[in-house]
């Protein structure tokens, strides 16, 4: 039996999604947590550890950007909220999960998410804060992957392209609409996950050396996958 857990900030939303997913897989559990708060982050990790022992795959797609994207006008409070969730929570959870995998000698996978905005080399006046935080996220995954390489623990980033961000899908037509993973991403991105799932499935199943330390783009995924070999 394989157990899955998911988390979100709003308890009623987590409960609703878990109830829906349990219709197809009863071994799914949900925990509400505000990952900008250290105590709740640690509590979440402890709850998951108690419920399922050690995860073999950790998919980290928490993200927040509620306020002005302009660096010059963003308040200290807004910066703290975004950094606490987009950077600190991602780093700490990746660290804790990967160490748990190491202790239990599990050849697991830590999968983080960024978006196409991290590719911008020049300042994009519409999303400069995303360029900063997501570039940092990708760099963290790359550096951490080197540290965990000898333990066969893969640290990978999936980069969502602009079609995913805007809800336009062209390339894939997968028969996956009833799977728990599909339903989770439908709720998360408020749209069809047709272009996201191939990249996730590939990252979960591909040989370790093929994906660790890599950025897996959802943009033209099949073509990019061929170039990676």
């Amino acid at each position: 039996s394989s157990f899955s857990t998911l988390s979100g900030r709003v308890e009623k939303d987590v409960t609703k999604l878990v109830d829906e997913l349990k219709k197809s897989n009863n071994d799914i559990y949900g925990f509400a947590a505000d990952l900008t708060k250290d105590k709740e982050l640690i509590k979440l990790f402890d709850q998951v550890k108690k419920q399922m022992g050690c995860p073999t795959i950790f998919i980290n797609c928490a993200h927040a950007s509620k306020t002005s994207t302009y660096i010059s006008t963003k308040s200290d409070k807004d910066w703290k909220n975004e950094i606490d969730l987009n950077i600190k929570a991602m780093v700490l959870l990746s660290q804790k999960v990967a160490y748990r995998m190491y202790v239990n000698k599990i050849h697991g996978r830590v999968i983080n998410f960024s978006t196409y905005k991290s590719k911008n080399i020049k300042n994009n006046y519409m999303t400069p804060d995303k360029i900063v935080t997501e570039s940092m996220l990708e760099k963290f995954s790359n550096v951490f992957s080197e540290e965990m390489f000898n333990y066969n623990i893969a640290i990978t980033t999936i980069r969502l392209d602009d079609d995913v961000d805007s809800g336009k899908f062209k390339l894939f037509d997968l028969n996956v609409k009833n799977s728990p993973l599909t339903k989770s991403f439908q709720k998360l991105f408020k749209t069809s996950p047709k272009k996201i799932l191939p990249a996730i499935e590939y990252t979960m199943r591909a040989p370790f050396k093929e994906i660790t330390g890599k950025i897996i783009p959802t943009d033209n995924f099949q073509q990019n996958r061929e170039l990676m070999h």
Side-chain angles (χ1 to χ4, degrees), residues 6-112:
L6 57 89
S7 69
R9 181 178 295 193
V10 182
E11 186 170 4
K12 66 177 182 179
D13 292 341
V14 173
T15 301
K16 182 178 179 181
L17 180 55
V18 168
D19 289 343
E20 183 179 347
L21 295 177
K22 277 183 176 289
K23 295 175 183 177
S24 55
N25 182 356
N26 197 50
D27 292 326
I28 291 181
Y29 303 89
F31 304 102
D34 182 350
L35 298 182
T36 64
K37 299 177 180 178
D38 292 351
K39 288 184 178 180
E40 292 197 31
L41 187 150
I42 294 171
K43 180 182 177 182
L44 171 65
F45 178 75
D46 289 341
Q47 286 174 316
V48 173
K49 184 170 64 173
K50 181 179 179 181
Q51 183 65 55
M52 61 185 300
C54 182
T56 56
I57 298 174
F58 172 57
I59 299 177
N60 184 6
C61 46
H63 183 78
S65 181
K66 297 181 178 178
T67 57
S68 170
T69 60
Y70 298 103
I71 291 176
S72 58
T73 57
K74 190 180 290 292
S75 69
D76 292 350
K77 180 180 178 181
D78 292 339
W79 268 121
K80 186 177 186 305
N81 181 63
E82 290 188 29
I83 291 173
D84 281 352
L85 183 58
N86 299 348
I87 301 297
K88 188 177 75 171
M90 182 275 300
V91 168
L92 290 179
L93 285 174
S94 296
Q95 172 197 12
K96 286 180 175 294
V97 171
Y99 183 74
R100 184 79 178 164
M101 292 172 177
Y102 160 74
V103 169
N104 287 274
K105 296 181 171 56
I106 291 175
H107 299 167
R109 314 238 158 158
V110 174
I111 304 171
N112 293 311

Side-chain angles (χ1 to χ4, degrees), residues 113-166:
F113 278 80
S114 66
T115 74
Y116 71 98
K117 296 179 178 69
S118 63
K119 294 190 296 184
N120 292 330
I121 298 175
K122 296 182 179 180
N123 181 45
N124 180 334
Y125 72 93
M126 291 299 293
T127 56
D129 60 333
K130 289 184 180 293
I131 296 172
V132 172
T133 57
E134 293 183 11
S135 296
M136 188 179 299
L137 183 155
E138 290 186 356
K139 192 64 176 177
F140 163 79
S141 294
N142 179 260
V143 172
F144 194 30
S145 71
E146 296 181 13
E147 184 176 330
M148 304 309 294
F149 184 87
N150 289 334
Y151 308 110
N152 288 318
I153 297 171
I155 316 293
T156 308
T157 304
I158 292 178
R159 180 190 283 160
L160 307 178
D161 65 83
D162 53 347
D163 283 346
V164 171
D165 213 33
S166 62

